[in-house]
Amino acid sequence: MVDEATKKTLSGIPLCKTKAGPRDKDLWVQRLKEEYQCLIKYVQNNKSADNDWFRLESNKEGTRWFGKCWYVHNLLKYEFDVEFDIPITYPTTAPEIALPELDGKTAKMYRGGKICLTDHFKPLWARNVPKFGIGHAMALGLGPWLAVEIPDMIEKGIVTYKEKDG
Amino acid sequence: MTSMKEMESRIRELEEQLRAERQKNDQQRPIREKISQMSSEVVDSNPYSRLMALKRMGIVDNYEKIREFTVAVVGVGGVGSVTAEMLTRCGIGKLILFDYDKVELANMNRLFFQPHQAGLSKVQAAAYTLSSINPDVEMETHNYNITTVDNFQHFMDRISQGSLTGGPVDLVLSCVDNFEARMAINTACNELGQTWFESGVSENAVSGHIQLIEPGRTACFGCAPPLVVASNIDEKTLKREGVCAASLPTTMGIVAGFLVQNTLKYLLGFGQVSYYLGYNALQDFFPTMRLRPNPLCEDSHCRRQQEEWANKAPTNPAEADMAAGGDEPVVHEDNEWGISLVDESAPSEEPEGAGDVLGLVQGVKTAYSLPATTSDAKEEAGALAADADVSLEELMAQMKTI
Ligand SMILES: [Zn+2]
């Protein structure tokens, strides 16, 4: 079930229009532009809501994405690398978001540090092809995952706070 | 004081260990010679005698033909590795293995791989073991993720040119563990017109299935939401807290057995091949059915293949039967499969059931429902992205400096 807060977040992320994947040449460029527009708007929304929690960028083909995400717990900011590939079946299937440094540290992950999504994610994604994009995957997938798993891992001592250099 | 007897027994134990160690390291451990022709002669040195006996018994009339076939196994995990081993022992002509994963100790609740192989790529470790079991089988391995743009074309090329004669493989077996990889195989096989078997084990490890997909003739994997065999567990009591997935060597071995049994039947032309065979481990319930293709399938290549089939097929009775929806669904006697998996976030009214279109049997459901048209998407959704006058490069730069 999507909670009210997530619903509100989702409503602020523009929808994509072009149904195209990385094998679709020109149409994929069109789709990528939509993806970037959606992400930029989403990050701007987060910043103005004082809830800035990730940055992403891609290779120039837009097939490989990487960046950082943050989670604040007891006033301390925990930072993790995020990465994922865009599968050739995108946007019919969502990207599999991974936090490689947490691989093997929690049961709520598949191999390679891919996060385990809730039962609700896939049906919701499938019902919204091709409108949902990377921003939606972050909001519906990674956001709720961090909120549940990171406090748990901090409590168990699996994740510890690192002072920022400089 | 240690008695002589105890010393002797200890020495025997150590000798045994030494032998095991030597065997592990010895590159020249007994590997059998290649055999150029399958013989049905019953001698203890003939690995094919019991298989060739299938001919004498009248089950299969051309067993040795198995050496002409090439099978691609995609995913060499709990199901795929066992599948590959069975085909190897059966004397298949060639195997092409795809997997990007490494063997881990966490895999040891499953069959086939051994602890000393931890750290090796699954395809490499598998090829090594399989070649020592049966050197007659030609092995080709690819250690990569088929779903990425970089590898997908190569994957398609190996499917269409990888057989012993340089043509398309005879069958693709999907033994992957995720939706993305299944859809990638589906995409490739729809484009190529390649027949394949999908297989799977549920994340709670107590159900599984195999499904024969002939593009255009049967439903493809994308014709409907994924199918699940009802496990008859109340969804509300199903706990998923703290774990992603469970696995059992039993369920995986059974599904691999179903998969290879039907592969043999398909390739060698004996018995009846199951189009869909489900397995509910808790009740030992095995629903079977045929699935009609969805004329509105999202995959344009599936629709193209359907047209091509319609244009060439329905003269033979089997095709007419298929077009009419196949066999009557098998209905389980106690009709206790009333469980429904409607997502709470789904619209309350069921859309014109995908199940009706497909002709689903009792005990098998789609994992979720889709809206009848994609236009009535979700209320959560925001506005459409505006058309951009800016270039992709500008947007990328803007994202970096935000
Ligand atoms: Zn289809």
Side-chain angles (χ1 to χ4, degrees):
Chain A
M1 196 69 199
V2 178
D3 59 62
E4 284 308 312
T6 310
K7 265 187 191 172
K8 190 157 175 284
T9 308
L10 283 181
S11 67
I13 308 173
L15 295 170
C16 296
K17 287 182 289 199
T18 308
K19 187 180 176 188
R23 296 168 77 216
D24 294 320
K25 305 229 162 25
D26 292 350
L27 275 178
W28 174 239
V29 175
Q30 180 56 40
R31 171 82 190 196
L32 262 185
K33 285 165 75 169
E34 293 170 18
E35 293 282 359
Y36 267 100
Q37 284 177 286
C38 296
L39 281 166
I40 289 165
K41 179 77 172 103
Y42 182 26
V43 171
Q44 282 166 346
N45 292 349
N46 290 341
K47 287 179 91 165
S48 52
D50 203 18
N51 177 33
D52 193 19
W53 68 276
F54 74 89
R55 278 300 178 281
L56 282 175
E57 56 184 296
S58 71
N59 61 358
K60 68 179 195 314
E61 296 81 15
T63 54
R64 178 145 191 83
W65 291 72
F66 44 89
K68 304 251 179 234
C69 65
W70 309 285
Y71 188 78
V72 178
H73 184 72
N74 293 338
L75 304 175
L76 295 175
K77 190 169 164 181
Y78 297 79
E79 184 176 286
F80 308 96
D81 287 332
V82 189
E83 60 174 50
F84 52 89
D85 290 305
I86 300 294
I88 56 105
T89 47
Y90 189 80
T92 301
T93 67
E96 297 179 283
I97 299 170
L99 308 177
E101 67 203 272
L102 298 181
D103 187 17
K105 294 185 172 179
T106 160
K108 296 295 273 294
M109 271 184 168
Y110 298 106
R111 60 189 175 182
K114 290 171 180 170
I115 61 166
C116 188
L117 299 163
T118 66
D119 289 344
H120 309 289
F121 181 89
K122 279 186 182 175
L124 195 54
W125 184 277
R127 279 194 276 269
N128 288 282
V129 175
K131 294 175 181 169
F132 278 7
I134 292 165
H136 300 88
M138 294 293 280
L140 280 165
L142 187 57
W145 190 92
L146 291 172
V148 172
E149 303 305 326
I150 298 302
D152 188 51
M153 281 192 270
I154 293 169
E155 200 143 301
K156 290 177 180 156
I158 298 164
V159 165
T160 50
Y161 180 69
K162 286 182 226 106
E163 282 291 340
K164 267 274 184 68
D165 302 329
Chain B
M1 261 238 267
T2 327
S3 77
M4 201 61 160
K5 256 203 168 110
E6 280 169 313
M7 295 260 288
E8 276 171 1
S9 132
R10 179 74 183 135
I11 286 171
R12 269 197 300 277
E13 210 179 299
L14 289 170
E15 277 175 346
E16 196 60 40
Q17 275 181 26
L18 183 63
R19 206 165 15 242
E21 282 303 314
R22 276 195 179 142
Q23 213 172 47
K24 220 189 294 177
N25 298 317
D26 193 356
Q27 295 301 317
Q28 266 139 22
R29 64 191 162 148
I31 286 181
R32 78 157 167 84
E33 296 293 307
K34 290 195 182 194
I35 296 170
S36 59
Q37 195 132 39
M38 277 191 177
S39 143
S40 50
E41 194 191 357
V42 183
V43 286
D44 58 5
S45 60
N46 179 9
Y48 297 120
S49 59
R50 297 297 176 192
L51 294 165
M52 293 291 275
L54 291 166
K55 279 174 65 164
R56 291 193 183 184
M57 292 190 170
I59 304 294
V60 183
D61 39 88
N62 53 352
Y63 192 84
E64 66 278 6
K65 203 167 186 294
I66 197 162
R67 299 188 92 166
E68 295 167 22
F69 294 120
T70 301
V71 172
V73 178
V74 190
V76 189
V79 173
S81 62
V82 177
T83 294
E85 179 175 346
M86 288 179 178
L87 288 169
T88 298
R89 290 185 187 272
C90 286
I92 193 83
K94 178 177 176 184
L95 284 178
I96 309 180
L97 308 177
F98 298 88
D99 202 304
Y100 67 94
D101 214 7
K102 285 187 160 60
V103 180
E104 286 175 19
L105 289 178
N107 303 144
M108 293 305 140
N109 70 321
R110 296 157 215 183
L111 304 173
F112 189 72
F113 289 114
Q114 302 199 8
H116 70 85
Q117 293 172 314
L120 294 176
S121 80
K122 284 183 174 172
V123 290
Q124 189 196 345
Y128 181 74
T129 306
L130 298 174
S131 292
S132 74
I133 291 172
N134 186 348
D136 298 333
V137 179
E138 193 175 321
M139 294 286 163
E140 176 179 321
T141 60
H142 299 288
N143 184 19
Y144 57 57
N145 178 353
I146 63 157
T147 71
T148 65
V149 194
D150 297 342
N151 303 320
F152 186 73
Q153 188 56 49
H154 188 263
F155 171 65
M156 294 244 294
D157 291 346
R158 293 322 295 150
I159 296 303
S160 56
Q161 297 157 28
S163 83
L164 285 169
T165 52
V169 301
D170 296 287
L171 202 56
V172 174
L173 303 181
S174 165
C175 303
V176 299
D177 61 2
N178 65 86
F179 181 62
E180 293 72 20
R182 286 186 176 93
M183 284 301 273
I185 297 167
N186 192 59
T187 301
C189 291
N190 276 342
E191 281 186 39
L192 297 168
Q194 171 68 52
T195 299
W196 63 293
F197 263 107
E198 137 71 4
S199 77
V201 173
S202 63
E203 292 201 325
N204 63 11
V206 290
S207 67
H209 68 273
I210 61 164
Q211 182 181 348
L212 177 65
I213 298 175
E214 293 177 89
R217 182 168 180 242
T218 69
C220 83
F221 187 71
C223 274
L227 301 178
V228 290
V229 179
S231 59
N232 238 18
I233 300 172
D234 186 348
E235 289 291 306
K236 290 189 191 73
T237 66
L238 186 61
K239 295 189 174 67
R240 279 185 58 118
E241 300 305 310
V243 281
C244 281
S247 71
L248 277 170
T250 46
T251 314
M252 290 178 156
I254 286 164
V255 169
F258 280 152
L259 184 60
V260 178
Q261 196 79 293
N262 279 278
T263 296
L264 293 175
K265 290 192 283 183
Y266 176 85
L267 293 176
L268 297 173
F270 65 100
Q272 243 186 333
V273 180
S274 283
Y275 285 88
Y276 181 100
L277 171 55
Y279 170 46
N280 165 333
L282 297 182
Q283 265 93 14
D284 278 340
F285 172 60
F286 305 88
T288 59
M289 62 183 163
R290 288 183 176 191
L291 294 158
R292 293 188 292 274
N294 177 358
L296 302 174
C297 181
E298 287 281 308
D299 187 327
S300 65
H301 289 281
C302 175
R303 300 197 304 270
R304 171 176 63 82
Q305 299 282 3
Q306 290 182 44
E307 264 172 54
E308 288 175 16
W309 258 106
N311 290 338
K312 70 178 164 191
T315 43
N316 80 57
E319 287 316 313
D321 184 40
M322 189 69 198
D327 308 328
E328 273 306 299
V330 183
V331 180
H332 195 248
E333 1 187 276
D334 2 85
N335 185 9
E336 57 197 12
W337 308 99
I339 165 175
S340 81
L341 294 182
V342 181
D343 190 286
E344 302 102 299
S345 57
S348 53
E349 73 283 6
E350 279 285 306
E352 277 299 283
D356 298 343
V357 176
L358 289 163
L360 291 189
V361 71
Q362 293 249 11
V364 181
K365 305 248 169 202
T366 54
Y368 45 82
S369 57
L370 292 173
T373 58
T374 41
S375 60
D376 61 341
K378 289 305 291 181
E379 68 283 357
E380 294 96 337
L384 286 176
D387 284 322
D389 290 333
V390 284
S391 71
L392 181 57
E393 290 70 29
E394 287 171 278
L395 287 166
M396 285 178 167
Q398 192 187 341
M399 184 72 192
K400 273 186 197 173
T401 54
I402 201 169

